[in-house]
Amino acid sequence: MKKHNFKSELKGIVGLVKDFKSEALLPLFEAVVNSIHAISDAGKTEEGIITVVINRAKPVSEQASLFDGGEARKEPEIESFEIIDNGIGFTEDNLTSFETIGSQYKEKIGGKGVGRFTWLKAFENVHIESVYMDDACQKKKRIIDFSMNNDLNVQTEACSGSVECGTSVTLSKFLKSYRSSPTACRTGKKIAQRITEHCLDYFIAGKCPEIVVRDVRPDDTSNEIKLSDMFSQIKENMTAGEIEVKGVKLTLHHLKVYDTSTSVMHKAVLCADGREVETIDLRKEIGASTQFDSDDKRFTYALYAGGDYLNKHVSSNRQEFDLSDEDLPLTPGSEVGMQAIKAALITAAKMFLAPQLEKLDARRREILEEYVANKNP
């Protein structure tokens, strides 16, 4: 019997990737997480560094475009992102995994084998240059071009032994359908904030190398933001905790975010494998749609939840969980549904925010009593 292999077409595979305009920076997040893994594989998380370069187009006009706030209105369009790391590089194992559809090479660390296909969902071209050490302890360089028109082209060549191992991934020609989404952001600060939030579990666990966002302007000037500085500010106002939902343990981190640029005023974020997956709007659930006051400062509340159960049930596109809404007691491994998890998170949020919610209720009563007494007895 003759053995046959399954064949695949890149356009068909990318077409199967679910749209993610509600999180247009997902390809960037995937590239950053790949760099985190590469640095971990090299065994140098403490010495590791990831640089995210934002390359902008020269503005066609001075017309303001409404995106995520006044600061962003005059920002030039983003043309490409370049993600540079000093990790292990594109070794033979990594290249084989990259070339394999649905690869399970990174399954133990949460890899789903589809992240690179999100790149071509939102960008026209991907260019990779990587230096690695081969089995004979010789430095090699790989140049990889990846696009819908040209599929996958790989060149491997020798290189100087003095060149440091690492990888540069360039995501070029940001497609308008994704670039114009409000979730694509426009400012370097906001993009840095979203990367920090998406990779928050890595920061909390101390497994995140230094990440720098460099925003390059059309006049070749640039400014840099260190995500470690951004996380330090977040950490000062973070409280850790844990809950158990019908036998399922979830780790919690309550955050007071002193920043008004968040897209959802108060939220709960469910994470898997160190990354943000699904966001729950808590405004209606906790009865508060404005910022809270604390020591004459205003903050937005965010609750981050994670755990082995969520890691196990994240979907391949990392945009949702493959869990039913309601509990399924007769289905092994899926005993707890999303409704029970979300209800537990809402309860935890209310308990943490109890002092602020009590003040809010007291103020509402004062307003009502004043209205009844003076305006409409």
Side-chain angles (χ1 to χ4, degrees):
M1 183 180 294
K2 185 178 179 180
K3 183 179 179 181
H4 291 267
N5 293 322
F6 283 106
K7 295 181 176 63
S8 60
E9 292 185 0
L10 186 57
K11 287 184 180 180
I13 296 165
V14 174
L16 293 174
V17 176
K18 189 177 179 180
D19 285 338
F20 45 84
K21 295 184 181 69
S22 60
E23 187 54 276
L25 293 178
L26 183 64
L28 173 61
F29 299 157
E30 292 290 339
V32 169
V33 171
N34 284 347
S35 290
I36 293 173
H37 291 166
I39 289 172
S40 176
D41 289 344
K44 53 181 183 182
T45 297
E46 293 184 2
E47 300 83 26
I49 183 167
I50 300 168
T51 304
V52 177
V53 182
I54 304 170
N55 294 309
R56 297 181 182 273
K58 292 183 179 180
V60 177
S61 71
E62 293 299 320
Q63 280 190 333
S65 55
L66 299 175
F67 281 87
D68 60 337
E71 182 185 357
R73 292 180 182 177
K74 295 183 180 179
E75 289 287 354
E77 295 275 5
I78 295 173
E79 276 196 335
S80 66
F81 292 101
E82 186 177 3
I83 303 89
I84 308 162
D85 68 63
N86 60 345
I88 197 170
F90 258 75
T91 62
E92 287 297 329
D93 286 342
N94 285 331
L95 179 62
T96 300
S97 174
F98 190 83
E99 293 175 330
T100 304
I101 308 302
S103 170
Q104 295 180 315
Y105 180 59
K106 292 186 177 182
E107 188 174 17
K108 290 184 179 179
I109 53 175
K112 296 292 183 179
V114 296
R116 61 202 180 283
F117 300 120
T118 67
W119 297 347
L120 293 187
K121 195 79 172 179
F123 295 86
E124 283 190 18
N125 301 301
V126 179
H127 179 75
I128 302 170
E129 294 189 14
S130 182
V131 175
Y132 69 100
M133 190 82 73
D134 67 12
D135 293 339
C137 295
Q138 298 294 315
K139 292 278 184 70
K140 295 287 183 66
K141 182 177 181 179
R142 293 199 199 279
I143 300 172
I144 302 171
D145 286 294
F146 186 40
S147 70
M148 294 283 275
N149 295 326
N150 298 318
D151 287 353
L152 181 64
N153 294 308
V154 181
Q155 290 179 300
T156 303
E157 57 190 46
C159 69
S160 169
S162 62
V163 179
E164 187 180 15
C165 290
T167 301
S168 168
V169 176
T170 303
L171 309 177
S172 300
K173 297 185 179 179
F174 204 1
L175 298 179
K176 185 177 180 181
S177 58
Y178 284 89
R179 187 183 69 229
S180 60
S181 169
T183 62
C185 308
R186 289 294 287 253
T187 67
K189 179 182 177 182
K190 182 62 178 175
I191 291 170
Q193 179 186 333
R194 288 297 299 120
I195 296 172
T196 305
E197 292 173 347
H198 187 82
C199 300
L200 190 64
D201 276 9
Y202 287 106
F203 283 97
I204 291 170
K207 296 180 179 179
C208 196
E210 183 67 78
I211 302 177
V212 176
V213 172
R214 182 184 301 153
D215 193 354
V216 180
R217 321 302 297 172
D219 60 1
D220 293 329
T221 60
S222 65
N223 64 290
E224 291 189 349
I225 301 171
K226 284 188 176 182
L227 269 58
S228 57
D229 294 340
M230 191 168 278
F231 175 66
S232 293
Q233 297 175 3
I234 293 174
K235 192 175 180 180
E236 289 177 1
N237 304 291
M238 182 173 66
T239 304
E242 187 178 84
I243 58 173
E244 189 169 314
V245 186
K246 301 180 180 180
V248 171
K249 291 183 178 180
L250 298 176
T251 57
L252 304 181
H253 288 91
H254 304 270
L255 273 64
K256 293 180 179 180
V257 183
Y258 295 92
D259 190 332
T260 59
S261 63
T262 181
S263 58
V264 177
M265 186 60 68
H266 303 297
K267 62 183 180 181
V269 181
L270 285 82
C271 301
D273 300 312
R275 312 178 219 184
E276 177 182 307
V277 176
E278 187 174 338
T279 299
I280 306 167
D281 190 338
L282 292 178
R283 288 175 294 182
K284 182 179 178 181
E285 307 298 341
I286 64 177
S289 57
T290 58
Q291 290 181 298
F292 295 111
D293 288 313
S294 176
D295 300 325
D296 296 325
K297 292 193 295 184
R298 298 175 69 79
F299 72 89
T300 299
Y301 171 75
L303 172 60
Y304 282 76
D308 292 339
Y309 187 76
L310 296 180
N311 295 345
K312 181 181 177 181
H313 291 287
V314 68
S315 65
S316 61
N317 64 5
R318 300 193 186 285
Q319 290 238 276
E320 58 191 359
F321 293 94
D322 53 8
L323 290 168
S324 62
D325 282 342
E326 298 181 357
D327 295 351
L328 296 174
L330 300 181
T331 304
S334 299
E335 295 84 3
V336 181
M338 288 302 294
Q339 285 186 359
I341 291 173
K342 291 177 180 180
L345 294 181
I346 292 167
T347 299
K350 288 180 176 178
M351 290 178 64
F352 179 81
L353 292 170
Q356 284 76 27
L357 294 177
E358 287 172 5
K359 289 179 182 178
L360 187 61
D361 287 341
R363 179 58 184 152
R364 285 170 177 163
R365 285 195 297 271
E366 287 177 8
I367 294 172
L368 179 60
E369 289 169 0
E370 182 181 353
Y371 177 80
V372 171
N374 301 319
K375 294 186 178 181
N376 192 11

